[in-house]
Amino acid sequence: MTVLVIDGQGGGLGRQLVAAVKARVPGAAVWAVGTNSAATTAMLRAGADKAATGENAVAVACRRADVIVGPVGIVIADAMLGEITPAMALAVGQSAAARVLVPVNQCDNIVAGAQGLPMARLVQSAAEAVESLAAGCQGAGAQSGAH
């Protein structure tokens, strides 16, 4: 199973997501794509198996991932202070991968009804969702990292 973590700005959320997913789903290949080099570096330091930066990296990785994890802004063009390009949002939205979106209510995008939970709890919830998806994939006979 390939889990793609996408983040931007300083990569703080992505760093936490990479670490949490690696802890909960140790057999998964965790790839990280940052919208900038700082975000990519943060996720790589957290233990990502592969990492890349930029719009084309998002497009390519989205075609190969089984699960995509990141802040809700990764599906909104011009989110994260403009770091998410329309092509990035389109690649995430059109991917056949399951998407686990963290409801970060920042940068003009508010998710109505999302609880004001601490970031650590949101990260754990996202990692639990990926773990559930991984268990479902294994039960269906999916191959780990078969892309």
Side-chain angles (χ1 to χ4, degrees):
M1 168 181 232
T2 301
V3 178
L4 171 61
V5 179
I6 301 173
D7 197 15
Q9 301 192 346
L13 175 58
R15 175 183 47 78
Q16 293 177 67
L17 288 169
V18 167
V21 169
K22 294 220 33 110
R24 290 194 81 97
V25 191
V30 179
W31 296 358
V33 176
T35 61
N36 61 64
S37 60
T40 304
T41 299
M43 293 186 284
L44 196 52
R45 286 184 180 154
D49 298 304
K50 293 184 180 183
T53 303
E55 181 178 85
N56 195 57
V58 169
V60 171
C62 283
R63 290 193 303 262
R64 298 179 177 166
D66 297 307
V67 178
I68 300 171
V69 186
V72 69
I74 65 175
V75 297
I76 301 170
D78 299 329
M80 298 169 65
L81 300 174
E83 289 190 28
I84 300 298
T85 67
M88 289 174 172
L90 185 66
V92 174
Q94 288 184 337
S95 175
R99 284 167 290 283
V100 177
L101 303 174
V102 178
V104 180
N105 288 329
Q106 297 176 354
C107 300
D108 299 328
N109 294 303
I110 307 299
V111 180
Q115 300 173 351
L117 297 173
M119 187 60 67
R121 182 60 198 121
L122 292 171
V123 167
Q124 287 307 310
S125 179
E128 290 167 7
V130 173
E131 183 180 35
S132 293
L133 288 166
C137 284
Q138 292 169 357
Q143 297 177 13
S144 177
H147 294 291

